Amino acid sequence: MASRSFSEEDFSCPVCCDIFKDPVLLLCSHSVCKECLNKFWESKGSRECPVCRRRSSIEHPPRNLVLKNLCETFLQERSQRSLEGSETLCSLHSEKLRLYCLEDQQLVCLVCRDSKIHTNHKFLPLQEAALDCKEELRTALNPLKEKLELFKECKLNWDQTAEHIKTQARQTEKQIKKDFEKLHQVLRDEEAARIAALMEEEEQKSQMMKEKIEKMSKEISALSDTIRAIEEEMGAENVSFLQNYKATVKRTQCTLQDPETPSGALLNVGKHLANLKFTVWKKMQEMVQFTPVTLDPNTADSKLTLSDDLTKVKIGTKKQKLPDNPERCDVSLCVLGSDSFHSGTHCWDVEVGDGDFWCLGVMTESAQRKGYITSRSGVWFVCFINDEYLDSSSTRLSISLSVSQKVQRVRVHLDWDRGKLSFSDPLNNTHLHTITQTFTEAVFPWFCNGSSCPLIISPVKLSVSVIPLS
């Protein structure tokens, strides 16, 4: 029995004449696109078959799934036949393309192989050529895949950086508000104290004036009574007047002292207002500290923890999730100072306490911050490890210090211009070590702490002086 091949007409809708799209089956056995049927019924105003005009009693005819699947298969086969017809025949000789020219990197037929244009060329069967080309592409894809992974890793780091920026902003804003609240509280307390002192002086001097006014009022009343009595005597008859004259004369003799306005009765406004802002500012030194060096959190190893005021560093209990930015030290438990020095002399004290692993020194701006620090990496320092004091050349220092003389504070003195980096113990006034190095670029203060005991940058003493005009 010969199989019948279907044509496009077998799968065409009688309304739109295109291949069926979502066909439905009517009771009369005709099939129509669902959308075409709905439009036809809407235009006719009645439910009838577009082919035989038989009325349909079903408002929603069932889908013809078999026809729908056949239409999809037909479309796929037609597309495949079209693709094969366009790619497998040689455009010059209308022969099937069977070989692949390695020199020209193109498909050729057997006639092309024997033509002059492909003389001395090498050919491979299509399957072998496809395998070789795929392997070549697979090899060529490796760098792209590696770059893709690099880009993904970079994007992930950038995503973390963007999120960390927001976290930094929130934490920094919180710390700014906290520090300003302390300043505001000092000002509020100082304002309240000064107003209280003003009110106290007002109360004292007002009470003094009240007592003087009351005393003066009594004296005025007594004088008024005396004057009124004398005037009454002066109005009496002569005999009575003269009889009382001697006594009346005595009454005219006033023993009261003349009133004097007391000095210092007014408020001492000058005491309350003179250089008020300067006086308060000077007093604020008691709660303000200045450290010559502060730490840069963007350079800190993720295993380190810094204090809110950026003056203390210690090793944390767990590694933090921080962006791997270029400035960050990632291995050696290090952190740099916020500001670099490229000239002049600079000095800062560090409380090392009972720490059993710490290093102090300077690092150049261009030094490699990734990986372990070495003596060739642009870092010069002294450190305390395993009860020994070492310098950046990893040799024991020339000084001999026993445990009982363990250093508690180290003073770092940098003379950039003269190329000297000195270390001393300011508590015992003892010189520890000096490194001589010609500096050619900016250097940052460098700190390393491998113990839970914090390294603390000591504040310097502040003073305010007034220089008189000459």
Side-chain angles (χ1 to χ4, degrees):
M1 180 178 175
S3 61
R4 175 180 177 271
S5 60
F6 293 95
S7 65
E8 185 172 337
E9 294 180 359
D10 297 319
F11 301 106
S12 298
C13 171
V15 177
C16 64
C17 299
D18 287 334
I19 302 299
F20 282 108
K21 298 175 183 176
D22 197 13
V24 294
L25 181 63
L26 298 173
L27 292 177
C28 60
S29 299
H30 291 118
S31 294
V32 188
C33 290
K34 181 179 180 180
E35 185 178 356
C36 294
L37 182 63
N38 290 335
K39 290 181 179 180
F40 180 77
W41 283 358
E42 184 179 349
S43 63
K44 295 292 290 184
S46 61
R47 295 194 297 271
E48 60 181 43
C49 174
V51 180
C52 65
R53 304 301 179 181
R54 179 178 174 180
R55 291 185 60 83
S56 174
S57 60
I58 303 177
E59 183 179 357
H60 301 290
R63 299 174 65 189
N64 193 339
L65 294 177
V66 175
L67 180 58
K68 183 176 184 295
N69 293 334
L70 287 173
C71 290
E72 291 177 353
T73 303
F74 175 77
L75 289 173
Q76 290 177 358
E77 291 178 351
R78 187 176 66 175
S79 176
Q80 183 64 27
R81 285 195 302 271
S82 176
L83 183 62
E84 290 176 355
S86 61
E87 292 184 356
T88 58
L89 294 181
C90 176
S91 59
L92 296 177
H93 309 107
S94 299
E95 294 287 335
K96 192 170 183 178
L97 300 171
R98 298 179 181 277
L99 300 173
Y100 183 74
C101 178
L102 298 179
E103 278 75 5
D104 296 330
Q105 294 185 344
Q106 65 180 23
L107 294 168
V108 297
C109 66
L110 297 177
V111 180
C112 291
R113 179 194 62 183
D114 299 330
S115 65
K116 291 182 179 180
I117 195 173
H118 291 288
T119 302
N120 296 327
H121 286 187
K122 293 182 179 180
F123 302 91
L124 284 177
L126 296 185
Q127 186 175 3
E128 292 184 18
L131 289 175
D132 290 348
C133 290
K134 287 179 181 179
E135 184 61 30
E136 183 179 343
L137 283 176
R138 193 175 291 110
T139 304
L141 275 177
N142 289 335
L144 294 179
K145 290 181 178 179
E146 292 176 359
K147 188 173 288 289
L148 176 61
E149 291 302 316
L150 176 64
F151 280 17
K152 287 182 178 179
E153 183 179 348
C154 183
K155 181 182 179 299
L156 178 61
N157 186 48
W158 286 0
D159 289 340
Q160 294 176 349
T161 301
E163 188 62 30
H164 189 65
I165 289 172
K166 295 180 181 179
T167 302
Q168 279 185 313
R170 289 191 294 267
Q171 293 176 344
T172 305
E173 179 184 10
K174 182 179 179 181
Q175 187 61 35
I176 289 173
K177 289 182 177 179
K178 182 179 178 180
D179 289 345
F180 267 94
E181 178 55 32
K182 291 180 181 178
L183 296 175
H184 293 160
Q185 189 59 48
V186 170
L187 292 175
R188 285 193 290 266
D189 293 344
E190 186 65 21
E191 177 188 13
R194 288 180 174 273
I195 291 178
L198 175 63
M199 295 298 101
E200 182 181 359
E201 184 181 1
E202 179 194 16
E203 178 66 22
Q204 291 175 352
K205 294 193 173 179
S206 295
Q207 182 63 29
M208 179 189 70
M209 292 307 300
K210 180 180 178 181
E211 293 173 356
K212 288 184 176 294
I213 290 172
E214 289 177 352
K215 181 180 179 183
M216 182 63 67
S217 296
K218 291 179 181 179
E219 292 177 347
I220 290 174
S221 179
L223 283 175
S224 297
D225 292 342
T226 299
I227 293 172
R228 185 167 52 254
I230 293 174
E231 288 178 342
E232 290 178 354
E233 288 293 331
M234 292 173 62
E237 294 181 357
N238 292 337
V239 175
S240 177
F241 169 74
L242 292 174
Q243 287 176 343
N244 297 324
Y245 176 73
K246 186 175 181 180
T248 302
V249 170
K250 286 184 178 181
R251 297 182 69 176
T252 61
Q253 297 175 358
C254 181
T255 59
L256 298 175
Q257 296 181 353
D258 293 340
E260 294 181 359
T261 301
S263 62
L266 299 180
L267 294 180
N268 191 352
V269 177
K271 181 185 73 173
H272 297 289
L273 294 182
N275 294 313
L276 174 61
K277 296 176 183 178
F278 174 80
T279 305
V280 174
W281 172 65
K282 186 176 180 180
K283 191 172 182 179
M284 287 182 70
Q285 290 182 84
E286 299 173 3
M287 60 85 59
V288 198
Q289 291 185 337
F290 174 78
T291 51
V293 170
T294 55
L295 305 174
D296 182 1
N298 293 337
T299 67
D301 188 303
S302 57
K303 293 183 286 294
L304 294 179
T305 300
L306 308 185
S307 61
D308 292 336
D309 61 358
L310 306 178
T311 61
K312 303 175 185 177
V313 56
K314 65 178 182 178
I315 192 169
T317 56
K318 61 180 181 179
K319 187 176 181 179
Q320 305 175 76
K321 291 184 178 179
L322 299 174
D324 186 21
N325 49 301
E327 300 85 359
R328 191 174 305 281
C329 302
D330 65 348
V331 174
S332 300
L333 299 174
C334 303
V335 61
L336 302 183
S338 298
D339 298 317
S340 62
F341 305 128
H342 52 79
S343 64
T345 59
H346 309 273
C347 184
W348 56 96
D349 287 1
V350 182
E351 298 284 346
V352 297
D354 295 325
D356 54 7
F357 173 25
W358 52 261
C359 303
L360 301 173
V362 297
M363 171 186 273
T364 60
E365 193 168 21
S366 63
Q368 177 58 250
R369 302 182 185 185
K370 307 300 181 183
Y372 288 98
I373 303 301
T374 67
S375 59
R376 296 182 299 276
S377 62
V379 184
W380 300 273
F381 57 88
V382 297
C383 59
F384 179 72
I385 303 175
N386 298 327
D387 292 335
E388 275 198 313
Y389 294 88
L390 310 173
D391 65 3
S392 53
S393 62
S394 299
T395 59
R396 197 170 188 275
L397 299 187
S398 57
I399 58 174
S400 176
L401 298 174
S402 63
V403 176
S404 61
Q405 296 174 309
K406 188 175 180 180
V407 175
Q408 297 290 311
R409 179 186 296 179
V410 176
R411 175 166 295 170
V412 183
H413 187 274
L414 169 67
D415 189 337
W416 194 95
D417 298 323
R418 297 175 62 187
K420 287 188 176 181
L421 182 63
S422 301
F423 303 87
S424 60
D425 180 356
L427 299 180
N428 298 317
N429 196 23
T430 304
H431 173 262
L432 301 178
H433 191 57
T434 296
I435 297 175
T436 302
Q437 174 68 38
T438 301
F439 300 111
T440 58
E441 59 178 304
V443 295
F444 288 89
W446 180 79
F447 307 82
C448 174
N449 190 8
S451 66
S452 58
C453 180
L455 297 180
I456 305 174
I457 304 172
S458 303
V460 298
K461 185 176 181 181
L462 294 177
S463 64
V464 178
S465 61
V466 179
I467 302 175
L469 295 175
S470 58

